[in-house]
């Protein structure tokens, strides 16, 4: 029986978490910290990759204690969380309502070091890289559930890609400094890890050439030819074969790689570079290859129509395998940041399509989806799935770019990344984050004064400050935001985000005709922009069109189910149902919204109004108390100022309901 060691105190102490090759936890001053059970170790590992991401208690209980009844599983989860708090410190594990997360500042995981090294943001020693290349994440762990097994498999694959990326950077650094034995050693370990990865074989051949060991380079090329022919039935690429041409051998002898490796780019001229790799037909019937080819062809066509994407031509991407495990290498070869890969299987009257979006920096999957459909009309099915994939890729790439920008140090950010980092802050919907976002938008404009997006960002930040009660009087904020929004449109009339921002501000100011015009333009410019559909829904309910608003909300939620505004979308849906006297559905949507965001008052107000209509006054008062706990200045007067343009009948019904639930006329 393990005995937990309590070695931490205070709120700022961090621990070192080692997951490569097993599990090890150490305090800041070196002592080993022991958790009482293997399940507690698995729980900490899961919560730490990445730290700061919230997970529901039900999901965690099912992942680790699926062999127990629900009540027992939840009890075991509570015990494991208590053990983590005992060992890591009382504030290391954050839990509110049904969500749990690890405080990122309290955990330093070796996988995070590896990711930083792979991205070129940190340097690690060769001993650590050797461990990463030979060890397995959580080695020896027996997954307690299918869900945990899937997560572990994905993370092990991701770690393998990170190890390869970090090793490649270290090899280049060793060669540049003339440390050829060290470069060769790492390259040999990289090839031993995956002999079928031709890119690794090329690195080793180049390392031999850089060290002047031509005979070993020649022998390695021959070995590469043999293993690829035997295992894959393919010849080496022209790039690999060309390494031993006389001109390259001369260049290699002076310590430089024969050919520079292609760079993985994040954004080109403000656009996301994406390669759509060939979809694999897994059904076994070669006669149906045209279906898989049609899917990838249609996705290339549809993504190419989006001005935010730079899509590699089909003629280039079709040269690569569509297997997920090779997608990162293909993206590197094509010099793009993202690769979309997928497969298709037809069985009787059903069609199954799986899709993954791979980020080549770190070889990680940032989005995956599976579609199962009847195949009565295959072309209708194809159109439906292609539309869904395109919308999801658009949403996920945008989300990933915001997250990536937020992780980088400010001195490394250009104007485009400053905008996305600012947007990341604004989407956290706190006073401090909105202020941080505004400062980043201003810095972006200092660098590029005629850049439209930071102006649109400042306009949207003004909207957030007004709607979230971050300012005492919303009118000056709205007026200032409209100035920036108009400037953004003047600079770029084709910016969907600019039209979205001005549309939202115009909705609050009561200029509904112009609001509907700009929000419809935003949807036309980018049909995949979920928040534009949501903004249109708000304008529609202000214009007394609740049925249209519900349709727009449904589109927004379908396009971006993980949207930062999902709670507000459900809240607006609740008010729509309230306006149509469907109080049970209004309550259901409001309750879902309250669970998505712990610091947002509008969902609590919607819930209170619905509960009053259902004659459950005590519950309504509890919801209002929760809203006032978030925003003490809440009053009927402040509520009325923000919804002055809502149709009078709906506005007064909600006003009366909130009054009955205990909100005072003035704060």
């Amino acid at each position: 029986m393990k005995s937990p060691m309590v070695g931490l105190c205070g709120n700022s102490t961090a621990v070192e978490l080692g997951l490569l090759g097993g599990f090890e936890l150490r305090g800041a001053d070196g002592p080993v910290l022991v958790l009482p059970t293997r399940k507690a170790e698995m729980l900490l590992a899961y919560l730490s990759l990445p730290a700061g991401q919230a997970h529901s208690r039900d999901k965690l209980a099912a992942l680790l204690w699926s062999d127990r009844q629900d009540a027992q599983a939840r009890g075991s989860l509570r015990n494991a969380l208590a053990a983590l708090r005992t060992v890591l410190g009382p504030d290391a594990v954050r839990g509110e309502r049904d969500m749990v997360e690890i405080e990122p500042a309290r955990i330093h995981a070796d996988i995070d070091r590896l990711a930083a090294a792979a991205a070129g943001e940190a340097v690690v020693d060769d001993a650590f890289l050797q461990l990463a290349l030979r060890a397995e994440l959580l080695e020896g762990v027996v997954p307690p559930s299918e869900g945990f097994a899937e997560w572990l498999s994905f993370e092990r694959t991701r770690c393998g890609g990170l190890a390869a990326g970090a090793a490649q950077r270290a090899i280049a650094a060793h060669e540049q400094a003339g440390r050829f034995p060290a470069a060769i050693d790492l390259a040999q370990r990289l090839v031993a890890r995956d002999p079928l990865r031709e890119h690794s074989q090329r690195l080793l051949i180049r390392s031999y050439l850089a060290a002047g060991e031509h005979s070993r380079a020649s022998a390695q090329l021959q070995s590469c030819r043999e293993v690829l022919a035997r295992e894959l039935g393919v010849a080496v690429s022209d790039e690999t074969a060309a390494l031993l041409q006389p001109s390259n051998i001369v260049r290699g002898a002076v310590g430089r790689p024969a050919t520079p490796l292609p760079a993985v780019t994040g954004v080109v001229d403000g656009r996301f570079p994406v390669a759509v790799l060939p979809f694999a037909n897994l059904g076994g019937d070669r006669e149906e290859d045209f279906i898989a080819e049609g899917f990838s062809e249609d996705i290339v066509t549809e993504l190419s129509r989006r001005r935010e994407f730079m899509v590699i031509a089909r003629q280039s991407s079709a040269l690569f395998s569509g297997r997920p495990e090779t997608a990162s290498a293909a993206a590197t070869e094509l010099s793009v940041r993202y690769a979309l890969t997928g497969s298709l299987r037809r069985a009787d009257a059903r069609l199954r399509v799986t899709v993954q979006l791979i980020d080549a920096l770190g070889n990680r999957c940032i989005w995956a989806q599976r579609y199962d459909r009847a195949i009565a009309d295959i072309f209708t099915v194809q159109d439906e799935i292609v539309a869904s994939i395109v919308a999801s890729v658009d949403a996920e790439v945008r989300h990933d770019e915001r997250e990536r920008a937020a992780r980088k140090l400010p001195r490394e950010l250009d104007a485009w990344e400053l905008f996305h980092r600012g947007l990341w802050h604004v989407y956290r919907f706190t006073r401090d984050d909105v202020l941080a976002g505004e400062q980043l938008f201003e810095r972006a404009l200092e660098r590029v004064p005629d850049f439209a997006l930071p102006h649109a960002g400042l306009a949207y930040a003004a909207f957030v400050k007004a709607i979230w009660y971050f300012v005492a009087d919303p009118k000056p904020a709205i007026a200032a935001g409209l100035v920036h929004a108009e400037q953004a449109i003047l600079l770029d009339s084709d910016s969907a985000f600019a039209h979205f921002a001005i549309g939202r501000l115009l909705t609050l100011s009561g200029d509904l005709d112009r609001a509907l015009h700009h929000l419809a333009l935003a949807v036309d410019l980018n049909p995949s922009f979920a928040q534009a559909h949501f903004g249109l829904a708000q304008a529609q309910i202000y214009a007394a069109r609740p049925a249209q608003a519900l349709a727009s909300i449904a589109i927004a939620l379908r396009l971006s189910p993980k949207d930062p505004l999902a709670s507000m979308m459900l809240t607006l849906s609740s008010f729509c149902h309230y306006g149509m006297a469907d109080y049970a559905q209004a309550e259901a949507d409001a309750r879902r919204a309250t669970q998505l965001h712990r610091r947002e008052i509008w969902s609590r107000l919607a819930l209170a109004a619905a509960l009053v209509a259902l004659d459950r006054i005590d519950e309504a008062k509890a919801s209002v108390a929760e809203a006032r706990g978030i925003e003490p200045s809440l009053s009927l007067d402040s509520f009325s100022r923000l919804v002055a343009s809502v149709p009078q009948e709906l506005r007064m019904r909600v006003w009366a309901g909130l009054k009955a639930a205990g909100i005072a006329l003035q704060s």
Side-chain angles (χ1 to χ4, degrees):
M1 181 73 177
K2 293 183 178 181
S3 175
M5 173 179 175
V6 183
L8 298 178
C9 61
N11 294 327
S12 60
T13 307
V15 299
E16 300 291 332
L17 177 61
L19 299 175
L20 293 169
F23 182 97
E24 184 178 77
L25 192 63
R26 287 187 177 274
D29 52 354
V32 174
L33 305 173
V34 181
L35 293 173
T37 67
R38 197 61 180 266
K39 292 284 184 71
E41 294 177 351
M42 293 184 204
L43 176 62
L44 179 58
Y46 189 86
L47 291 174
S48 300
L49 295 179
Q53 179 174 319
H55 303 275
S56 74
R57 293 177 186 270
D58 286 342
K59 180 180 78 171
L60 295 174
L63 280 173
L64 293 164
W65 293 278
S66 60
D67 57 336
R68 303 181 185 182
Q69 297 295 325
D70 289 347
Q72 290 180 313
R74 291 287 291 246
S76 297
L77 174 62
R78 284 194 297 272
N79 292 337
L81 290 172
L84 296 189
R85 291 188 175 99
T86 298
V87 173
L88 303 180
D91 298 326
V93 181
R94 301 192 299 231
E96 189 166 340
R97 287 185 166 270
D98 195 47
M99 307 302 288
V100 176
E101 63 186 73
I102 286 284
E103 168 57 54
R106 303 297 296 277
I107 292 287
H108 293 165
D110 54 357
I111 304 304
D112 293 335
R113 289 174 57 209
L114 187 62
E121 298 170 355
V123 177
V124 295
D125 58 39
D126 284 6
F128 178 71
L129 288 175
Q130 291 166 6
L131 171 66
L133 287 171
R134 72 171 184 270
E136 192 171 53
L137 177 73
L138 287 176
E139 198 165 293
V141 163
V142 178
S145 68
E146 182 178 347
F148 193 90
E150 290 178 359
W151 170 81
L152 185 58
S153 175
F154 167 74
E155 285 295 336
R156 284 173 173 172
T157 301
R158 182 175 77 93
C159 288
L162 293 175
Q168 288 167 204
R169 290 184 179 276
I171 290 166
H174 284 318
E175 289 181 358
Q176 189 69 32
R179 298 187 296 267
F180 302 123
I184 290 171
D185 179 69
L186 279 179
Q188 287 174 333
R189 293 173 186 274
L190 201 55
V191 169
R193 188 177 178 278
D194 185 2
L196 300 181
R197 188 168 184 261
E198 190 175 356
H199 185 71
S200 300
Q201 296 273 6
R202 279 202 298 274
L203 283 176
L204 180 54
I205 294 169
R206 286 171 176 167
S207 293
Y208 284 140
L209 291 174
E213 300 190 28
H214 303 155
S215 60
R216 296 184 73 182
S218 179
Q220 191 62 41
L221 175 60
Q222 182 59 32
S223 173
C224 178
R225 284 195 174 104
E226 292 173 357
V227 72
L228 293 182
R230 181 177 66 252
E231 301 296 333
L232 301 179
V234 299
V236 298
S237 66
D238 291 341
E239 181 183 355
T240 302
L243 289 175
L244 282 165
Q245 292 177 356
S247 60
N248 286 337
I249 292 176
V250 171
R251 292 175 62 195
V254 297
R256 297 178 181 174
T259 308
L261 298 178
V264 176
T265 57
V267 179
V268 176
D269 295 330
R271 294 185 295 166
F272 304 110
V274 179
V276 180
L277 303 182
F279 275 42
N281 172 23
L282 303 180
D285 185 353
R286 298 301 93 185
E287 294 294 321
E288 293 183 358
D289 279 354
F290 76 95
I291 302 175
E293 294 171 2
F295 270 108
S296 47
E297 184 72 37
D298 283 0
I299 295 169
V300 168
T301 300
E302 291 300 319
L303 277 179
S304 297
R305 292 175 180 168
R306 306 298 202 275
R307 63 196 300 270
E308 295 88 355
F309 288 93
M310 184 194 77
V311 185
I312 298 299
R314 178 88 175 107
Q315 292 84 346
S316 296
S317 57
L319 301 176
F320 295 86
S321 162
R323 293 183 303 163
E325 58 268 30
T326 63
S328 180
T332 301
E333 296 286 346
L334 292 168
S335 297
V336 298
R337 174 74 185 274
Y338 301 100
L340 186 76
T341 182
S343 64
L344 179 149
R345 184 188 298 275
R346 180 176 181 176
D348 298 324
R350 303 292 298 177
L351 183 72
R352 169 172 290 185
V353 179
T354 60
V355 191
Q356 293 185 44
L357 184 64
I358 307 297
D359 179 352
L361 286 180
N363 189 26
R364 62 192 184 94
C365 175
I366 62 172
W367 171 75
Q369 187 59 274
R370 181 176 67 191
Y371 303 86
D372 287 296
R373 297 288 190 274
I375 200 167
D377 185 343
I378 189 168
F379 296 108
T380 300
V381 173
Q382 183 187 69
D383 289 343
E384 175 192 356
I385 294 177
V386 166
S388 179
I389 289 172
V390 168
S392 297
V393 169
D394 190 346
E396 291 297 329
V397 167
R398 291 175 186 281
H399 172 77
D400 187 64
E401 286 296 329
R402 287 198 301 272
E403 293 291 327
R404 185 178 65 89
R407 287 193 296 269
K408 296 181 70 177
L409 295 175
R411 66 176 180 272
E412 300 173 340
L413 298 174
D414 59 18
W416 191 93
E417 289 175 313
L418 280 167
F419 163 72
H420 276 276
R421 184 175 183 177
L423 203 58
W424 181 88
H425 277 288
V426 172
Y427 281 151
R428 293 173 69 86
F429 303 114
T430 69
R431 283 182 172 83
D432 290 343
D433 276 298
V434 171
L435 176 61
E438 288 177 317
Q439 292 171 344
L440 289 163
F441 296 146
E442 295 285 2
R443 287 175 54 197
L445 289 175
E446 289 173 4
R447 296 193 181 194
V448 186
D450 59 351
F451 187 15
L453 286 178
H455 280 293
L458 287 166
Y460 184 63
F463 170 83
V464 171
K465 288 192 295 186
I467 203 73
W468 285 69
Y469 288 92
F470 293 164
V471 289
D473 184 358
K475 289 183 179 179
I478 293 171
L482 284 170
V483 172
H484 282 292
E486 296 282 7
Q487 183 65 20
I489 291 173
L490 184 65
L491 291 169
D492 186 358
S493 61
D494 291 331
S495 169
F497 185 73
H499 287 286
F500 159 75
I502 196 172
R504 305 229 62 190
L505 288 166
L506 289 169
T507 300
L508 288 187
S509 68
D511 193 346
L512 296 181
D513 287 341
R514 289 182 65 206
L516 289 164
H517 167 73
H518 282 287
L519 290 163
L521 266 178
V523 169
D524 288 341
L525 287 166
N526 186 352
S528 302
F529 191 7
Q531 292 183 26
H533 289 278
F534 168 54
L536 182 60
Q538 185 177 22
Q540 287 166 336
I541 194 172
Y542 274 49
R545 305 174 191 172
Q548 291 182 20
L550 283 173
S552 295
I553 294 167
I555 294 171
L557 288 170
R558 184 168 68 247
L559 288 173
S560 188
K562 297 190 296 183
D563 200 277
L565 292 181
S567 66
M568 297 294 281
M569 294 177 187
L570 287 168
T571 297
L572 189 61
S573 178
S574 174
F575 280 122
C576 286
H577 286 293
Y578 181 92
M580 300 167 72
D582 185 356
Y583 302 124
Q585 188 60 50
E587 179 199 358
D589 285 350
R591 286 198 184 279
R592 287 177 60 200
T594 62
Q595 294 168 3
L596 291 177
H597 203 291
R598 56 181 179 261
R599 300 293 300 172
E600 183 264 303
I601 68 170
W602 285 94
S603 57
R604 277 78 182 169
L605 299 182
L607 179 59
L611 290 169
V612 168
L614 292 168
D615 199 26
R616 289 152 59 187
I617 303 298
D618 289 343
E619 293 179 64
K621 289 181 177 180
S623 185
V624 162
E626 190 173 347
R628 286 185 60 83
I630 298 170
E631 181 49 62
S633 66
L634 178 65
S635 67
L636 290 174
D637 184 49
S638 63
F639 166 80
S640 298
R641 286 200 300 269
L642 279 174
V643 298
S645 301
V646 171
Q648 183 178 10
E649 189 275 334
L650 174 59
R651 184 174 74 249
M652 295 311 297
R653 272 203 294 138
V654 175
W655 189 93
L658 296 180
K659 182 179 180 182
I663 297 185
L665 182 62
Q666 294 180 332
S667 58

